[in-house]
Amino acid sequence: MLELLPAIDTTLEQFLLNYISTRGGESLNLAQILTRGTASDGGLFVPEKWPSLSTRELAALLSGEYAEIAGQVLELFGADSLATGNITEVVSKAVQGFQQPVGPPVTQLKDGLWALELMHGPTLAFKDFALAPLAEIIATVLKQENRQATVLCATSGDTGAATVSAFANRDNLRAVVLFPEGGVSEFQRKQMTTTGADNVLTLCVKGDFDACQNMVKALYQTEAAKDYGYTAVNSINMVRILLQTAYYFRTSGLIQKKTGKASSFIVPTGNFGNVYAAYIAKQMGAPINRLIVTSNDNDVLPRLFESSIMQGTATVKTISPSMDIQVSSNFERLLWHIKNCDGTAVQSAQQSLENRSRYELTETEMQTLTTDFRALKCSEGEANSAMQYMQTEFNKTICPHTATAVHAYTTLGPDADADAETVIVETAHPAKFSAAVEKATGTTPTAPPYALQQLQNSEVMHSCDATIQSIQAAIDGFFN
Ligand SMILES: *Cc1c(COP(=O)(O)O)cnc(C)c1O
């Protein structure tokens, strides 16, 4: 049973909390951005201000179960605009079937070092913690409003698996998932193709991840978009990010209670969604010291920290495919804070990124950025060493994404942040990437039985070219 925490005092101020575009246009409430991707000016939605918390409210967010905390966060961010009724009950329903419905395990590895194990959800990646509740919220709202929607997602593996799992067999909802042919592991592909759900269409696209993402963007612009009610659930969805803040509140609260210290999180990063959630928790008063962003060879963020210049290059394939990204979409949200919430300044930086493939931060802006953040790159060889280190030092098998965070820990050393406890964020289960893990460590990771059961079913997927005609035809053919 959930023990209910003291209710949040919903002040008039919080009722009026709105979301504005990072590029200056539009002002909408939470219900209005629930199923929106980007704002009409191309920016991302951000809360116009952080909700102010009383000491009692903050204390409530730092203890208790995941669903309670997530529900309270959403209330603070305007959940009263959603037609869901009690939001905590909705989130709670979504995570009830998880291995640890109370919240992800926070385990101490040694003095000063912890692991936040986000990989025990139904599809073995942290994305379950946000996508499962998001699906429940959207389904509840659609039912209430007697509407239908079609969820679209381009994936390099983990988002697709979590989306399929969260949206399969739901009333009023369809899901279309696009993955690049040959670009996901066998385990991930099977997670997407074996649900047997007739409301889920899995498309194997002859192209790379960027092609899939471009197809999704193009689908929104088609004639059919209105009929299908296309809806975005990729990590630029603000509700997803708000849900993820809950495990940062909970983890930093638990660690503070045990050690009296704040936490510094090392977060394997791609699209900057997960670490941005940690930043929100810190801004709202959670005992969080530093946020350390790690990358694989696609090191667009570490290079920014070194050179003050944001400049993507060609994406290279690595053993951590969910981080094979050169356009870190959610960084635009942080950029908005760094630029003192100046939409025009963000607009011109992003325009420069689009037209000249770069923008540069000023010295003052770099100072703001490095107050909270650091960034470190991890090469393939370093990731292998990090996996070996965890295996021999702690008898713990980790995934190649998590390895980038471990590498940062061994590089910076425990003294890098003497004031805080260090927390390695484990983003996926090693069994999803068994070939790479086995090669590095000689250990074959095994997936828990609950995650394997469905994978025995026969696979259903459709192949198509990376053209809008081919994809729309597949969608029409499947659903009509
Ligand atoms: C999605 C993903 C990431 C990157 O998370 P962002 O929120 O995009 O920064 C890292 N590791 C794994 C395993 C993932 O699935």
Side-chain angles (χ1 to χ4, degrees), residues 8-19 28-34 46-53 57 61 69-88 137 141 145 238-239 242-243 245 280 284:
I8 297 284
D9 307 321
T10 315
T11 61
L12 187 61
E13 193 187 339
Q14 278 151 11
F15 267 117
L16 296 176
L17 190 126
N18 263 341
Y19 294 80
L28 302 172
N29 67 23
L30 194 66
Q32 290 165 317
I33 64 162
L34 174 66
V46 276
E48 59 186 351
K49 57 179 181 278
W50 304 123
S52 51
L53 301 184
E57 285 169 336
L61 291 179
I69 300 169
Q72 296 193 36
V73 168
L74 289 177
E75 274 180 39
L76 286 163
F77 280 95
D80 46 282
S81 65
L82 300 169
T84 56
N86 185 322
I87 191 74
T88 299
I137 292 168
V141 169
E145 297 176 352
M238 190 65 203
V239 179
L242 292 175
L243 285 160
T245 64
I280 295 178
M284 288 169 69

Side-chain angles (χ1 to χ4, degrees), residues 442-462:
T443 305
T444 311
T446 43
Y450 67 84
L452 287 172
Q453 215 164 20
Q454 175 204 304
L455 307 190
Q456 310 302 320
N457 300 342
S458 53
E459 291 190 63
V460 182
M461 62 177 160
H462 294 72

Side-chain angles (χ1 to χ4, degrees), residues 125-127 158 235 268-274 322-323 399 401 427-428:
F126 79 84
K127 284 164 175 117
D158 288 336
S235 77
T269 294
N271 236 338
F272 210 78
N274 201 7
S322 299
M323 293 159 61
C399 88
H401 304 77
T427 49

Side-chain angles (χ1 to χ4, degrees), residues 124-127 156-159 188 235 240 244 267-276 320-323 325 328 330 399 401-402 426-429 432-433:
L124 307 181
F126 79 84
K127 284 164 175 117
S156 56
D158 288 336
T159 304
Q188 290 174 316
S235 77
R240 243 180 96 174
Q244 286 170 238
V267 189
T269 294
N271 236 338
F272 210 78
N274 201 7
V275 75
Y276 183 67
S320 43
S322 299
M323 293 159 61
I325 232 168
S328 204
N330 282 297
C399 88
H401 304 77
T402 306
E426 286 193 79
T427 49
H429 195 288
K432 294 190 98 168
F433 309 95

Side-chain angles (χ1 to χ4, degrees), residues 125-204:
F126 79 84
K127 284 164 175 117
D128 290 321
F129 279 96
L131 276 162
L134 179 66
E136 195 68 47
I137 292 168
I138 293 178
T140 309
V141 169
L142 290 178
K143 189 173 172 202
Q144 202 67 31
E145 297 176 352
N146 201 15
R147 278 197 294 138
Q148 303 214 336
T150 304
V151 160
L152 289 179
C153 122
T155 184
S156 56
D158 288 336
T159 304
T163 299
V164 166
S165 162
F167 286 90
N169 300 312
R170 285 191 182 274
D171 296 336
N172 303 338
L173 271 163
R174 292 162 167 174
V176 180
V177 174
L178 284 69
F179 74 87
E181 189 178 56
V184 302
S185 74
E186 183 187 352
F187 194 99
Q188 290 174 316
R189 191 192 68 233
K190 284 189 176 170
Q191 285 183 313
M192 294 187 275
T193 57
T194 56
T195 58
D198 61 10
N199 71 328
V200 173
L201 170 62
T202 304
L203 291 176
C204 172

